[in-house]
Amino acid sequence: MSLIRWLSLPLLAMVVPAGFAVWAFPQGLSLARTAGIVAGWLGCGLLLVSLLLMVREVEVARWLGGLERMYRWHHRTGVVAYLALLAHPLLLAADGFAESPALAWQALAPVDESWPVWSGWLALILLMAGLTITFMRRLPYRAWRWLHAGLGVAVLFGLLHLVLLGIDEPVLPILAAAMLILAWRAMRDELGLAARPYIVESVRRVAAGTIEISLRPLATSLTAMPGQFVLVAFLTGANYRGCGEFHPFSVSSIDRNGVLRIGVKALGDCTRRMQSIQPGVPARVQGAFGSFLAGPPPASQLWVAGGIGVTPFIALLRAGGITSPTLLLYLYKTEAEAAFLAELRALAAETPFLTLQTVETGELLPDLERLLPDAHCLGCRDCYLCGPPELTAALKPALRKRGIAARRIHFENFDFR
Ligand SMILES: Cc1cc2nc3c(=O)[nH]c(=O)nc-3n(C[C@H](O)[C@H](O)[C@H](O)COP(=O)(O)OP(=O)(O)OC[C@H]3O[C@@H](n4cnc5c(N)ncnc54)[C@H](O)[C@@H]3O)c2cc1C
C-alpha cells in the first residue's frame, strides 16, 4: 500500500476533529473551560469519522487498505471520541470547582438542569453502554450487532445536545452529514442496494457441516481475486427461507463466466440454515473486499489454515496461483469436518511447489511450538494465516518468536467484531 493511502486513515482521524476544535476554539475563557469545550468538539469530529468508516463501498475500502482496516479505525476513533466526550463534562465541572464545589457538582449531577444538559449525559451513557457491548465478544453476534448499531442513537442524542444548547453552526451540517451516513449505510448495505443479484447454481457437500455453493450472476458479475471475500445474503426460494442478512464468505473459486463459489461452514443460525440451500435460491452479493494473498509472490511461503479458513488458499490453488515453495499447514478438528481435504491432497500431489501438512487437532488449540517449522526453515518465508481469531492470535507471537518480522505475517480473521 502506498504511503499516501496508508496515511489517509490516521490523517482523516486527526484532521476532521482538529478542524472542529479550531473552528470552535473559544476566546477569553478559563483554561479548564476552554479544554472542556475543545474536548467536546474533538469527540464530535471523531464520532463523525467513526460513522464514516462503517460505510462499505468497494472502491473506498480498497483505497483505504481494506474493510478490516476501516473497521479497526472505526473502533479506534469511536473509543477516543468517547474518552474526549467523557473529558468534556469533567473539565467543565473542574472549571466550576474553581468557583465553588456546588457548581462543579451541578455540572456532574444535573438534577436541576433541563434537556440541553440531560441530552448530553444521555448521549454519554448510551455511548458508554454501546462501547462496553462492542468489547463483549461472548454476546451472540446478532444481538451484538443490534446493540452496537444502537451507538448511532447515542450520536443523535449528542447532536441534539448541541442543537438544544442553541449552537446551530456547524451543528446542523454535522447532523445532516451524520443522518446521511446512517441512511447511506442502511440503504446500500443493510437493504442491499450496493449488492448484485445472483442465483444459486449448484450446491455440493465438501465436509460434514460444510457445503460449497456456486453463485451465477444475473446481471454484471463482480470482480474478485483469490483471497478476497464477498458479503452474501440468501433470499427466499421455492423450498428455502433465507435469513436475508449479509454474511462475509471468502471466495473459493472464481470462474471466467463470473460464477463465484463460496464454502459455508455451519457455525451459527444462518450458516446452519444455509446447509439445506438448493439451486434456484436468489442471492445478493456485495464486494469483493480484502487483499489477503494479494501481495507480489514472495520467495517462499507458509500458509496456516484453521478449519474453514482454508477457503482463500483453495481459491489460489485452484487458480494455479503458486510459483514459489509453499507449505500449507491445515489444522482441523476432525478429518470428517475438514473441507476440501481430498481435493487438497490431489492438488499437493500434482503441484510441485506445494507441501501439504494436515493436523487433526480435536477441540483444543494444538501445540503450535511443536507444529510450526523451525526458525531456520521459516527463514525468509512470508506467513499467511487464516481462521478463527483465537488461532491467528496464538500463531502471531509463535511466529514472531521464530524471528519472523511482523510485516511478513499476513492474516485474515473470520470475525469482524
Ligand atoms: C472476512 C471473513 C471471511 C469469512 N469467510 C468465511 C468462509 O469462507 N466460509 C465460512 O464458512 N465462514 C466464513 N466467515 C465466517 C462467517 O461469516 C460466519 O461464520 C457467519 O457469518 C456466521 O453467521 P451465523 O448467523 O450462522 O452465525 P452467528 O452465530 O450469527 O455467528 C457466528 C460467528 O460468526 C461471526 N459473524 C456472524 N455474522 C457475521 C457478519 N455478518 N459479519 C462478520 N462476522 C459475522 C461472528 O464472529 C459470530 O460470533 C468469514 C468471516 C469473515 C469476517
mmCIF file of all heavy atoms in Angstrom, residues 183-222:
data_model
loop_
_atom_site.group_PDB
_atom_site.id
_atom_site.type_symbol
_atom_site.label_atom_id
_atom_site.label_comp_id
_atom_site.label_asym_id
_atom_site.label_seq_id
_atom_site.Cartn_x
_atom_site.Cartn_y
_atom_site.Cartn_z
ATOM 1 N N ALA A 183 -28.173 6.805 6.841
ATOM 2 C CA ALA A 183 -29.150 6.392 5.823
ATOM 3 C C ALA A 183 -28.444 5.653 4.690
ATOM 4 O O ALA A 183 -28.942 4.640 4.178
ATOM 5 C CB ALA A 183 -29.886 7.614 5.277
ATOM 6 N N TRP A 184 -27.261 6.151 4.296
ATOM 7 C CA TRP A 184 -26.469 5.511 3.234
ATOM 8 C C TRP A 184 -26.147 4.072 3.612
ATOM 9 O O TRP A 184 -26.336 3.147 2.847
ATOM 10 C CB TRP A 184 -25.183 6.315 3.017
ATOM 11 C CG TRP A 184 -24.339 5.831 1.883
ATOM 12 C CD1 TRP A 184 -23.372 4.871 1.941
ATOM 13 C CD2 TRP A 184 -24.397 6.268 0.520
ATOM 14 N NE1 TRP A 184 -22.806 4.692 0.709
ATOM 15 C CE2 TRP A 184 -23.417 5.535 -0.187
ATOM 16 C CE3 TRP A 184 -25.163 7.203 -0.167
ATOM 17 C CZ2 TRP A 184 -23.192 5.701 -1.548
ATOM 18 C CZ3 TRP A 184 -24.928 7.373 -1.524
ATOM 19 C CH2 TRP A 184 -23.956 6.634 -2.194
ATOM 20 N N ARG A 185 -25.656 3.900 4.849
ATOM 21 C CA ARG A 185 -25.282 2.559 5.319
ATOM 22 C C ARG A 185 -26.521 1.639 5.331
ATOM 23 O O ARG A 185 -26.478 0.495 4.890
ATOM 24 C CB ARG A 185 -24.655 2.685 6.707
ATOM 25 C CG ARG A 185 -24.608 1.439 7.539
ATOM 26 C CD ARG A 185 -23.468 0.516 7.178
ATOM 27 N NE ARG A 185 -23.686 -0.789 7.757
ATOM 28 C CZ ARG A 185 -22.756 -1.586 8.218
ATOM 29 N NH1 ARG A 185 -21.510 -1.236 8.140
ATOM 30 N NH2 ARG A 185 -23.048 -2.742 8.736
ATOM 31 N N ALA A 186 -27.645 2.188 5.827
ATOM 32 C CA ALA A 186 -28.853 1.369 5.921
ATOM 33 C C ALA A 186 -29.320 0.922 4.538
ATOM 34 O O ALA A 186 -29.639 -0.238 4.318
ATOM 35 C CB ALA A 186 -29.957 2.147 6.641
ATOM 36 N N MET A 187 -29.323 1.859 3.568
ATOM 37 C CA MET A 187 -29.880 1.523 2.254
ATOM 38 C C MET A 187 -28.909 0.682 1.427
ATOM 39 O O MET A 187 -29.268 -0.333 0.860
ATOM 40 C CB MET A 187 -30.239 2.808 1.506
ATOM 41 C CG MET A 187 -31.483 3.444 2.074
ATOM 42 S SD MET A 187 -32.187 4.686 1.017
ATOM 43 C CE MET A 187 -30.823 5.703 0.618
ATOM 44 N N ARG A 188 -27.649 1.120 1.365
ATOM 45 C CA ARG A 188 -26.679 0.433 0.498
ATOM 46 C C ARG A 188 -26.292 -0.931 1.066
ATOM 47 O O ARG A 188 -26.193 -1.890 0.323
ATOM 48 C CB ARG A 188 -25.395 1.275 0.360
ATOM 49 C CG ARG A 188 -25.600 2.610 -0.284
ATOM 50 C CD ARG A 188 -25.500 2.559 -1.771
ATOM 51 N NE ARG A 188 -24.212 2.109 -2.275
ATOM 52 C CZ ARG A 188 -24.017 1.730 -3.534
ATOM 53 N NH1 ARG A 188 -25.029 1.719 -4.373
ATOM 54 N NH2 ARG A 188 -22.829 1.334 -3.967
ATOM 55 N N ASP A 189 -26.066 -0.990 2.400
ATOM 56 C CA ASP A 189 -25.500 -2.216 2.960
ATOM 57 C C ASP A 189 -26.546 -3.123 3.605
ATOM 58 O O ASP A 189 -26.574 -4.313 3.355
ATOM 59 C CB ASP A 189 -24.402 -1.866 3.974
ATOM 60 C CG ASP A 189 -23.310 -1.028 3.318
ATOM 61 O OD1 ASP A 189 -23.095 -1.206 2.109
ATOM 62 O OD2 ASP A 189 -22.686 -0.200 3.999
ATOM 63 N N GLU A 190 -27.414 -2.562 4.449
ATOM 64 C CA GLU A 190 -28.379 -3.430 5.141
ATOM 65 C C GLU A 190 -29.498 -3.843 4.173
ATOM 66 O O GLU A 190 -29.879 -4.997 4.127
ATOM 67 C CB GLU A 190 -28.981 -2.745 6.374
ATOM 68 C CG GLU A 190 -27.973 -2.150 7.355
ATOM 69 C CD GLU A 190 -26.918 -3.145 7.835
ATOM 70 O OE1 GLU A 190 -27.232 -4.339 7.937
ATOM 71 O OE2 GLU A 190 -25.768 -2.728 8.089
ATOM 72 N N LEU A 191 -30.036 -2.874 3.392
ATOM 73 C CA LEU A 191 -31.117 -3.228 2.452
ATOM 74 C C LEU A 191 -30.572 -3.794 1.142
ATOM 75 O O LEU A 191 -31.310 -4.288 0.308
ATOM 76 C CB LEU A 191 -32.007 -2.009 2.169
ATOM 77 C CG LEU A 191 -32.766 -1.460 3.372
ATOM 78 C CD1 LEU A 191 -33.588 -0.246 2.982
ATOM 79 C CD2 LEU A 191 -33.687 -2.542 3.956
ATOM 80 N N GLY A 192 -29.255 -3.702 0.933
ATOM 81 C CA GLY A 192 -28.628 -4.409 -0.180
ATOM 82 C C GLY A 192 -28.597 -3.677 -1.511
ATOM 83 O O GLY A 192 -28.400 -4.300 -2.545
ATOM 84 N N LEU A 193 -28.773 -2.334 -1.527
ATOM 85 C CA LEU A 193 -28.744 -1.626 -2.815
ATOM 86 C C LEU A 193 -27.358 -1.682 -3.463
ATOM 87 O O LEU A 193 -27.225 -1.532 -4.666
ATOM 88 C CB LEU A 193 -29.170 -0.161 -2.630
ATOM 89 C CG LEU A 193 -30.630 0.087 -2.262
ATOM 90 C CD1 LEU A 193 -30.960 1.564 -2.334
ATOM 91 C CD2 LEU A 193 -31.571 -0.687 -3.187
ATOM 92 N N ALA A 194 -26.322 -1.910 -2.641
ATOM 93 C CA ALA A 194 -24.955 -1.986 -3.201
ATOM 94 C C ALA A 194 -24.632 -3.392 -3.697
ATOM 95 O O ALA A 194 -23.563 -3.612 -4.240
ATOM 96 C CB ALA A 194 -23.936 -1.571 -2.138
ATOM 97 N N ALA A 195 -25.561 -4.331 -3.479
ATOM 98 C CA ALA A 195 -25.273 -5.728 -3.840
ATOM 99 C C ALA A 195 -25.824 -6.054 -5.224
ATOM 100 O O ALA A 195 -26.698 -5.348 -5.738
ATOM 101 C CB ALA A 195 -25.906 -6.644 -2.809
ATOM 102 N N ARG A 196 -25.279 -7.129 -5.823
ATOM 103 C CA ARG A 196 -25.739 -7.534 -7.163
ATOM 104 C C ARG A 196 -26.538 -8.826 -7.076
ATOM 105 O O ARG A 196 -26.286 -9.650 -6.196
ATOM 106 C CB ARG A 196 -24.545 -7.762 -8.064
ATOM 107 C CG ARG A 196 -23.751 -6.491 -8.202
ATOM 108 C CD ARG A 196 -22.606 -6.683 -9.117
ATOM 109 N NE ARG A 196 -21.690 -5.562 -8.939
ATOM 110 C CZ ARG A 196 -20.808 -5.182 -9.809
ATOM 111 N NH1 ARG A 196 -20.709 -5.820 -10.953
ATOM 112 N NH2 ARG A 196 -20.013 -4.167 -9.571
ATOM 113 N N PRO A 197 -27.480 -8.996 -8.042
ATOM 114 C CA PRO A 197 -28.315 -10.205 -7.988
ATOM 115 C C PRO A 197 -27.576 -11.436 -8.521
ATOM 116 O O PRO A 197 -26.964 -11.387 -9.591
ATOM 117 C CB PRO A 197 -29.495 -9.848 -8.892
ATOM 118 C CG PRO A 197 -28.970 -8.823 -9.828
ATOM 119 C CD PRO A 197 -27.875 -8.081 -9.126
ATOM 120 N N TYR A 198 -27.635 -12.499 -7.776
ATOM 121 C CA TYR A 198 -27.048 -13.794 -8.165
ATOM 122 C C TYR A 198 -28.098 -14.872 -7.919
ATOM 123 O O TYR A 198 -29.125 -14.628 -7.273
ATOM 124 C CB TYR A 198 -25.806 -14.092 -7.315
ATOM 125 C CG TYR A 198 -24.517 -13.460 -7.837
ATOM 126 C CD1 TYR A 198 -24.318 -12.084 -7.780
ATOM 127 C CD2 TYR A 198 -23.501 -14.236 -8.377
ATOM 128 C CE1 TYR A 198 -23.134 -11.508 -8.257
ATOM 129 C CE2 TYR A 198 -22.319 -13.674 -8.850
ATOM 130 C CZ TYR A 198 -22.140 -12.303 -8.783
ATOM 131 O OH TYR A 198 -20.976 -11.750 -9.254
ATOM 132 N N ILE A 199 -27.826 -16.071 -8.411
ATOM 133 C CA ILE A 199 -28.725 -17.192 -8.124
ATOM 134 C C ILE A 199 -27.865 -18.419 -7.805
ATOM 135 O O ILE A 199 -26.775 -18.566 -8.375
ATOM 136 C CB ILE A 199 -29.687 -17.436 -9.321
ATOM 137 C CG1 ILE A 199 -30.792 -18.388 -8.921
ATOM 138 C CG2 ILE A 199 -28.965 -17.946 -10.554
ATOM 139 C CD1 ILE A 199 -32.014 -18.315 -9.827
ATOM 140 N N VAL A 200 -28.361 -19.242 -6.887
ATOM 141 C CA VAL A 200 -27.604 -20.457 -6.546
ATOM 142 C C VAL A 200 -27.680 -21.407 -7.731
ATOM 143 O O VAL A 200 -28.764 -21.805 -8.150
ATOM 144 C CB VAL A 200 -28.163 -21.128 -5.270
ATOM 145 C CG1 VAL A 200 -27.447 -22.450 -4.995
ATOM 146 C CG2 VAL A 200 -28.041 -20.187 -4.076
ATOM 147 N N GLU A 201 -26.512 -21.764 -8.280
ATOM 148 C CA GLU A 201 -26.488 -22.642 -9.452
ATOM 149 C C GLU A 201 -26.371 -24.104 -9.026
ATOM 150 O O GLU A 201 -27.044 -24.975 -9.562
ATOM 151 C CB GLU A 201 -25.316 -22.268 -10.349
ATOM 152 C CG GLU A 201 -25.351 -22.958 -11.676
ATOM 153 C CD GLU A 201 -24.261 -22.426 -12.593
ATOM 154 O OE1 GLU A 201 -23.075 -22.605 -12.282
ATOM 155 O OE2 GLU A 201 -24.613 -21.809 -13.609
ATOM 156 N N SER A 202 -25.500 -24.359 -8.065
ATOM 157 C CA SER A 202 -25.359 -25.736 -7.581
ATOM 158 C C SER A 202 -24.810 -25.711 -6.155
ATOM 159 O O SER A 202 -24.267 -24.697 -5.701
ATOM 160 C CB SER A 202 -24.418 -26.533 -8.488
ATOM 161 O OG SER A 202 -23.147 -25.929 -8.457
ATOM 162 N N VAL A 203 -24.991 -26.841 -5.488
ATOM 163 C CA VAL A 203 -24.528 -26.955 -4.094
ATOM 164 C C VAL A 203 -23.879 -28.327 -3.956
ATOM 165 O O VAL A 203 -24.427 -29.318 -4.450
ATOM 166 C CB VAL A 203 -25.721 -26.884 -3.105
ATOM 167 C CG1 VAL A 203 -25.242 -26.929 -1.661
ATOM 168 C CG2 VAL A 203 -26.568 -25.647 -3.343
ATOM 169 N N ARG A 204 -22.719 -28.394 -3.309
ATOM 170 C CA ARG A 204 -22.148 -29.723 -3.047
ATOM 171 C C ARG A 204 -21.561 -29.729 -1.647
ATOM 172 O O ARG A 204 -21.106 -28.698 -1.130
ATOM 173 C CB ARG A 204 -21.113 -30.118 -4.101
ATOM 174 C CG ARG A 204 -19.816 -29.384 -3.998
ATOM 175 C CD ARG A 204 -18.830 -29.864 -5.048
ATOM 176 N NE ARG A 204 -17.555 -29.166 -4.824
ATOM 177 C CZ ARG A 204 -16.452 -29.743 -4.425
ATOM 178 N NH1 ARG A 204 -16.409 -31.031 -4.223
ATOM 179 N NH2 ARG A 204 -15.347 -29.036 -4.227
ATOM 180 N N ARG A 205 -21.631 -30.918 -1.029
ATOM 181 C CA ARG A 205 -21.097 -31.041 0.332
ATOM 182 C C ARG A 205 -19.601 -31.294 0.239
ATOM 183 O O ARG A 205 -19.154 -32.137 -0.530
ATOM 184 C CB ARG A 205 -21.800 -32.200 1.059
ATOM 185 C CG ARG A 205 -21.443 -32.295 2.512
ATOM 186 C CD ARG A 205 -22.562 -32.851 3.363
ATOM 187 N NE ARG A 205 -23.781 -32.041 3.349
ATOM 188 C CZ ARG A 205 -23.955 -30.914 4.037
ATOM 189 N NH1 ARG A 205 -23.007 -30.458 4.805
ATOM 190 N NH2 ARG A 205 -25.099 -30.260 3.968
ATOM 191 N N VAL A 206 -18.818 -30.507 0.999
ATOM 192 C CA VAL A 206 -17.365 -30.686 0.930
ATOM 193 C C VAL A 206 -16.795 -31.241 2.240
ATOM 194 O O VAL A 206 -15.607 -31.534 2.314
ATOM 195 C CB VAL A 206 -16.631 -29.380 0.530
ATOM 196 C CG1 VAL A 206 -16.864 -29.058 -0.930
ATOM 197 C CG2 VAL A 206 -17.048 -28.216 1.409
ATOM 198 N N ALA A 207 -17.631 -31.354 3.259
ATOM 199 C CA ALA A 207 -17.235 -31.978 4.535
ATOM 200 C C ALA A 207 -18.491 -32.036 5.385
ATOM 201 O O ALA A 207 -19.521 -31.444 5.024
ATOM 202 C CB ALA A 207 -16.175 -31.148 5.249
ATOM 203 N N ALA A 208 -18.404 -32.736 6.514
ATOM 204 C CA ALA A 208 -19.570 -32.741 7.411
ATOM 205 C C ALA A 208 -19.785 -31.307 7.893
ATOM 206 O O ALA A 208 -18.849 -30.666 8.382
ATOM 207 C CB ALA A 208 -19.285 -33.658 8.594
ATOM 208 N N GLY A 209 -20.985 -30.792 7.694
ATOM 209 C CA GLY A 209 -21.298 -29.428 8.170
ATOM 210 C C GLY A 209 -20.751 -28.320 7.284
ATOM 211 O O GLY A 209 -20.775 -27.153 7.686
ATOM 212 N N THR A 210 -20.278 -28.643 6.093
ATOM 213 C CA THR A 210 -19.775 -27.588 5.189
ATOM 214 C C THR A 210 -20.203 -27.890 3.756
ATOM 215 O O THR A 210 -20.067 -29.029 3.291
ATOM 216 C CB THR A 210 -18.232 -27.501 5.228
ATOM 217 O OG1 THR A 210 -17.828 -27.344 6.576
ATOM 218 C CG2 THR A 210 -17.716 -26.332 4.413
ATOM 219 N N ILE A 211 -20.726 -26.856 3.090
ATOM 220 C CA ILE A 211 -21.105 -27.021 1.676
ATOM 221 C C ILE A 211 -20.348 -25.992 0.836
ATOM 222 O O ILE A 211 -19.849 -24.991 1.380
ATOM 223 C CB ILE A 211 -22.627 -26.814 1.465
ATOM 224 C CG1 ILE A 211 -23.070 -25.483 2.106
ATOM 225 C CG2 ILE A 211 -23.436 -27.967 2.005
ATOM 226 C CD1 ILE A 211 -24.456 -25.045 1.696
ATOM 227 N N GLU A 212 -20.291 -26.260 -0.454
ATOM 228 C CA GLU A 212 -19.765 -25.242 -1.363
ATOM 229 C C GLU A 212 -20.905 -24.842 -2.293
ATOM 230 O O GLU A 212 -21.537 -25.711 -2.914
ATOM 231 C CB GLU A 212 -18.568 -25.772 -2.159
ATOM 232 C CG GLU A 212 -17.938 -24.655 -2.978
ATOM 233 C CD GLU A 212 -16.632 -25.071 -3.666
ATOM 234 O OE1 GLU A 212 -16.571 -26.208 -4.164
ATOM 235 O OE2 GLU A 212 -15.700 -24.262 -3.707
ATOM 236 N N ILE A 213 -21.153 -23.531 -2.366
ATOM 237 C CA ILE A 213 -22.282 -23.014 -3.161
ATOM 238 C C ILE A 213 -21.730 -22.282 -4.384
ATOM 239 O O ILE A 213 -20.854 -21.422 -4.237
ATOM 240 C CB ILE A 213 -23.136 -22.028 -2.320
ATOM 241 C CG1 ILE A 213 -23.594 -22.679 -1.013
ATOM 242 C CG2 ILE A 213 -24.319 -21.498 -3.113
ATOM 243 C CD1 ILE A 213 -24.313 -21.719 -0.066
ATOM 244 N N SER A 214 -22.247 -22.619 -5.577
ATOM 245 C CA SER A 214 -21.877 -21.867 -6.791
ATOM 246 C C SER A 214 -22.943 -20.812 -7.021
ATOM 247 O O SER A 214 -24.136 -21.125 -7.005
ATOM 248 C CB SER A 214 -21.851 -22.777 -8.015
ATOM 249 O OG SER A 214 -20.850 -23.714 -7.866
ATOM 250 N N LEU A 215 -22.497 -19.603 -7.263
ATOM 251 C CA LEU A 215 -23.429 -18.489 -7.458
ATOM 252 C C LEU A 215 -23.247 -17.909 -8.856
ATOM 253 O O LEU A 215 -22.146 -17.475 -9.206
ATOM 254 C CB LEU A 215 -23.141 -17.404 -6.415
ATOM 255 C CG LEU A 215 -23.479 -17.768 -4.969
ATOM 256 C CD1 LEU A 215 -22.719 -16.879 -3.999
ATOM 257 C CD2 LEU A 215 -24.982 -17.608 -4.749
ATOM 258 N N ARG A 216 -24.335 -17.927 -9.645
ATOM 259 C CA ARG A 216 -24.251 -17.389 -11.005
ATOM 260 C C ARG A 216 -24.817 -15.972 -11.030
ATOM 261 O O ARG A 216 -25.889 -15.728 -10.468
ATOM 262 C CB ARG A 216 -25.052 -18.298 -11.953
ATOM 263 C CG ARG A 216 -24.962 -17.886 -13.418
ATOM 264 C CD ARG A 216 -25.411 -19.014 -14.342
ATOM 265 N NE ARG A 216 -26.686 -19.591 -13.975
ATOM 266 C CZ ARG A 216 -27.876 -19.052 -14.253
ATOM 267 N NH1 ARG A 216 -27.947 -17.912 -14.891
ATOM 268 N NH2 ARG A 216 -28.987 -19.661 -13.900
ATOM 269 N N PRO A 217 -24.101 -15.042 -11.693
ATOM 270 C CA PRO A 217 -24.618 -13.662 -11.727
ATOM 271 C C PRO A 217 -25.846 -13.551 -12.634
ATOM 272 O O PRO A 217 -25.901 -14.192 -13.679
ATOM 273 C CB PRO A 217 -23.438 -12.863 -12.308
ATOM 274 C CG PRO A 217 -22.599 -13.853 -13.023
ATOM 275 C CD PRO A 217 -22.809 -15.188 -12.366
ATOM 276 N N LEU A 218 -26.805 -12.733 -12.219
ATOM 277 C CA LEU A 218 -27.993 -12.497 -13.048
ATOM 278 C C LEU A 218 -27.859 -11.188 -13.818
ATOM 279 O O LEU A 218 -28.644 -10.892 -14.705
ATOM 280 C CB LEU A 218 -29.243 -12.448 -12.174
ATOM 281 C CG LEU A 218 -29.619 -13.782 -11.514
ATOM 282 C CD1 LEU A 218 -30.826 -13.623 -10.612
ATOM 283 C CD2 LEU A 218 -29.890 -14.858 -12.571
ATOM 284 N N ALA A 219 -26.891 -10.363 -13.414
ATOM 285 C CA ALA A 219 -26.586 -9.135 -14.161
ATOM 286 C C ALA A 219 -25.064 -9.119 -14.308
ATOM 287 O O ALA A 219 -24.468 -10.176 -14.379
ATOM 288 C CB ALA A 219 -27.104 -7.926 -13.390
ATOM 289 N N THR A 220 -24.448 -7.938 -14.295
ATOM 290 C CA THR A 220 -22.975 -7.940 -14.395
ATOM 291 C C THR A 220 -22.388 -8.587 -13.145
ATOM 292 O O THR A 220 -22.861 -8.353 -12.031
ATOM 293 C CB THR A 220 -22.417 -6.507 -14.506
ATOM 294 O OG1 THR A 220 -23.132 -5.702 -13.602
ATOM 295 C CG2 THR A 220 -22.468 -5.979 -15.908
ATOM 296 N N SER A 221 -21.346 -9.397 -13.371
ATOM 297 C CA SER A 221 -20.745 -10.075 -12.217
ATOM 298 C C SER A 221 -19.765 -9.126 -11.550
ATOM 299 O O SER A 221 -19.290 -8.171 -12.169
ATOM 300 C CB SER A 221 -20.004 -11.316 -12.684
ATOM 301 O OG SER A 221 -19.042 -10.949 -13.634
ATOM 302 N N LEU A 222 -19.486 -9.386 -10.276
ATOM 303 C CA LEU A 222 -18.473 -8.555 -9.627
ATOM 304 C C LEU A 222 -17.101 -9.171 -9.845
ATOM 305 O O LEU A 222 -16.973 -10.341 -10.191
ATOM 306 C CB LEU A 222 -18.784 -8.361 -8.143
ATOM 307 C CG LEU A 222 -19.133 -9.556 -7.271
ATOM 308 C CD1 LEU A 222 -17.884 -10.275 -6.894
ATOM 309 C CD2 LEU A 222 -19.869 -9.070 -6.054
#
